[in-house]
């Protein structure tokens, strides 16, 4: 409307006539853009979270903001996200499911905690080019990462030792899902899972083996491996094995207690137990106050 008045001359065309011709309400010409008072602080916090968690999209950032006490919906966060030019992580390509056997995560879905555990091995290298391995163990129902062991070489003894420790601390699962054959050495021979299966049978844990060359049948731990590589391994250069252990363990704790998980309603798999401040009362109860000021007596 202002453009029309400037082009034809403000003394020739009134605001009322220009709005009538353009079929616009006159109130639209008087409404100024209102920026909420907390917009700058919210924008800075969104940028900080996007910088700290480089592979999180605006939905996970919204969940983190809700956890911090911000009263904001995902539409406003998305608007600021695009306004600041933040990059939304690209979706990973879909995989085609060829067949499903009895050990597939589609045939047997976890229904409760300690129902199905799955483990896998992930490989990476330090800055000097030397390879190291990671043993990853995940609870498929809670999505919690139970352990990530990092070493230059991992054997079946390391796997059995870690499983026995977790069985004592976390309880014994009903099933353990894995590949039937795993390569754990850089150039060493493959070890079959017969020894692991025999040991699991002695503690009355049933095994679920996926088909060779079918990682999609072990989808829960494969999804976790993708997040581990995408959010940490592809972003960090490990100068030593000790640095890799420290950073990987720190990421594992943040994954369990901080990182919002979309399948869990954008809640972390194992959030830290905290007592809300609203539950605490600043006014002492009458009984407590009486007991506080009562004189101690000896009986």
């Amino acid at each position: 409307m202002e453009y029309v008045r400037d082009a034809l001359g403000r003394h020739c065309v009134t605001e009322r006539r220009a709005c009538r011709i353009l079929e616009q309400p006159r109130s639209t010409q008087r409404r100024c853009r209102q920026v909420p008072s907390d917009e700058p602080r919210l924008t800075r916090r969104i940028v900080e979270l996007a910088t700290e968690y480089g592979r999180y999209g605006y939905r996970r950032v919204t969940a983190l903001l809700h956890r911090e006490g911000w009263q904001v919906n995902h539409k406003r966060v998305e608007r600021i996200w695009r306004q600041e030019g933040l990059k939304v992580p690209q979706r990973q390509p879909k995989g085609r499911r060829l067949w499903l056997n009895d050990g597939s995560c589609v045939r047997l879905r976890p229904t409760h905690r300690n129902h199905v555990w799955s483990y896998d091995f992930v490989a990476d290298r330090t800055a000097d080019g030397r390879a190291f391995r990671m043993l990853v163990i995940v609870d498929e129902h809670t999505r919690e990462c139970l352990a990530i062991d990092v070493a230059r070489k991992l054997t079946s003894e390391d796997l059995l030792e870690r499983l026995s420790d977790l069985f004592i601390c976390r309880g014994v699962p009903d099933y353990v899902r894995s590949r039937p054959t795993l390569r754990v050495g850089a150039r060493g021979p493959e070890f079959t899972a017969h020894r692991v299966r025999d040991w699991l049978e002695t503690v009355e844990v049933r095994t679920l083996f996926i088909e060779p060359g079918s990682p999609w049948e072990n989808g829960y731990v494969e999804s976790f491996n993708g997040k581990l590589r995408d959010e940490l391994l592809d972003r960090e250069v490990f100068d030593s094995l000790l640095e890799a252990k420290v950073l990987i363990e720190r990421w594992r704790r943040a994954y369990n207690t901080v990182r919002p998980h979309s399948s869990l309603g954008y809640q972390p798999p194992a959030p830290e137990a905290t007592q809300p401040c609203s539950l605490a009362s600043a006014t002492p109860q009458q009984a407590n106050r009486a007991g506080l000021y009562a004189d101690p007596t000896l009986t």
Side-chain angles (χ1 to χ4, degrees):
M1 193 273 294
E2 296 293 333
Y3 175 79
V4 174
R5 294 190 65 189
D6 292 338
L8 300 178
R10 288 185 172 270
H11 62 281
C12 299
V13 181
T14 63
E15 180 184 286
R16 186 188 302 273
R17 183 180 180 185
C19 289
R20 185 171 61 252
I21 294 174
L22 297 176
E23 297 182 353
Q24 290 186 359
R26 295 180 63 191
S27 60
T28 59
Q29 308 305 318
R30 295 177 173 81
R31 185 178 181 275
C32 299
R33 182 174 179 267
Q34 297 180 358
V35 179
S37 59
D38 61 344
E39 188 88 355
R41 293 191 301 113
L42 178 60
T43 303
R44 287 195 301 268
R45 187 55 185 155
I46 291 176
V47 174
E48 291 174 359
L49 291 174
T51 303
E52 183 177 359
Y53 304 101
R55 295 297 296 173
Y56 285 12
Y58 70 89
R59 295 185 183 274
R60 283 198 171 90
V61 170
T62 304
L64 293 176
L65 292 172
H66 288 168
R67 200 176 304 164
E68 295 178 359
W70 288 89
Q71 300 295 329
V72 59
N73 59 11
H74 68 91
K75 296 181 180 179
R76 184 181 177 189
V77 176
E78 182 183 10
R79 175 179 59 80
I80 298 176
W81 184 276
R82 299 185 182 278
Q83 176 182 321
E84 295 297 320
L86 300 176
K87 183 180 179 180
V88 179
Q90 297 180 356
R91 293 180 180 272
Q92 295 186 359
K94 298 180 179 180
R96 185 180 300 276
R97 185 178 293 109
L98 300 181
W99 65 83
L100 302 172
N101 70 339
D102 293 337
S104 170
C105 62
V106 178
R107 289 286 181 85
L108 179 62
R109 293 185 180 275
T111 58
H112 57 270
R113 182 176 178 269
N114 287 347
H115 185 197
V116 182
W117 289 6
S118 58
Y119 66 86
D120 198 5
F121 291 90
V122 182
D124 203 4
R125 294 181 180 274
T126 51
D128 56 3
R130 298 179 60 190
F132 65 88
R133 297 293 185 268
M134 290 160 280
L135 168 62
V136 176
I137 304 177
V138 177
D139 188 323
E140 293 188 357
H141 179 71
T142 63
R143 308 300 202 277
E144 180 182 3
C145 178
L146 305 178
I148 302 180
D149 290 347
V150 182
R152 292 294 182 185
K153 183 179 180 181
L154 291 169
T155 62
S156 58
E157 287 79 6
D158 300 322
L159 174 60
L160 295 179
E161 181 180 359
R162 173 54 65 184
L163 288 177
S164 61
D165 293 340
L166 290 175
F167 287 179
I168 296 173
C169 300
R170 310 298 296 267
V172 180
D174 298 334
Y175 298 89
V176 172
R177 196 193 319 268
S178 67
R179 306 179 191 176
T181 306
L182 293 170
R183 179 181 293 274
V184 297
R187 296 182 179 178
E190 295 182 350
F191 79 89
T192 61
H194 293 298
R195 182 178 179 184
V196 178
R197 180 174 57 187
D198 295 341
W199 180 81
L200 291 175
E201 289 179 354
T202 60
V203 294
E204 300 180 354
V205 177
R206 285 167 286 185
T207 56
L208 298 172
F209 291 137
I210 67 173
E211 289 291 336
S214 305
W216 52 84
E217 295 187 357
N218 201 6
Y220 293 96
V221 72
E222 291 293 343
S223 175
F224 175 84
N225 293 343
K227 296 179 178 64
L228 171 63
R229 186 167 298 280
D230 184 43
E231 297 177 6
L232 179 67
L233 301 182
D234 289 346
R235 302 181 60 193
E236 296 286 347
V237 177
F238 305 114
D239 293 327
S240 64
L241 184 63
L242 177 60
E243 182 182 11
K245 291 181 178 180
V246 172
L247 293 180
I248 291 173
E249 177 62 20
R250 186 178 68 177
W251 182 87
R252 185 188 73 88
R253 293 180 181 273
Y255 176 87
N256 288 337
T257 60
V258 177
R259 184 186 186 277
H261 204 294
S262 58
S263 63
L264 301 177
Y266 289 96
Q267 296 296 321
E272 295 180 348
T274 57
Q275 182 177 4
C277 297
S278 58
L279 297 180
S281 176
T283 304
Q285 301 295 330
Q286 186 68 23
N288 295 338
R289 184 165 62 249
L292 180 64
Y293 294 104
D295 294 333
T297 57
L298 297 177
T299 58

